[in-house]
Amino acid sequence: MRDKKDYATFDLPGFSPAAPLEPEPKRPAPPRARRNAQKQVQLELLEPTDTTGLPLWVRDDKLDLTGLPVWAPN
């Protein structure tokens, strides 16, 4: 047996390479079951969207420009 990193080692008796084994014959794979593809449906969004698909920005009197609630004066 020889160390790959140390070239000064020698082959030990009784550690000769093993004879190659015969490969087992491969069995054919069983046929795959065919799946029915479900038809895709385009969902209609509840809010109007722009060309990118994002919801349109709508000004709300109860919110300021940052989206925080506007406190009513007492």
Side-chain angles (χ1 to χ4, degrees), residues 9-73:
T9 58
F10 54 91
D11 291 331
L12 297 174
F15 287 99
S16 60
L21 299 174
E22 294 181 16
E24 295 182 17
K26 293 185 178 180
R27 299 180 189 150
R32 291 186 178 186
R34 198 163 229 199
R35 296 182 185 174
N36 292 338
Q38 293 181 355
K39 187 175 182 180
Q40 295 182 356
V41 178
Q42 178 67 37
L43 298 176
E44 294 296 328
L45 299 176
L46 298 176
E47 300 173 352
T49 58
D50 60 3
T51 56
T52 63
L54 295 173
L56 290 175
W57 185 78
V58 179
R59 177 82 168 110
D60 188 359
D61 293 333
K62 296 179 183 176
L63 301 177
D64 64 3
L65 295 178
T66 63
L68 295 174
V70 176
W71 296 95

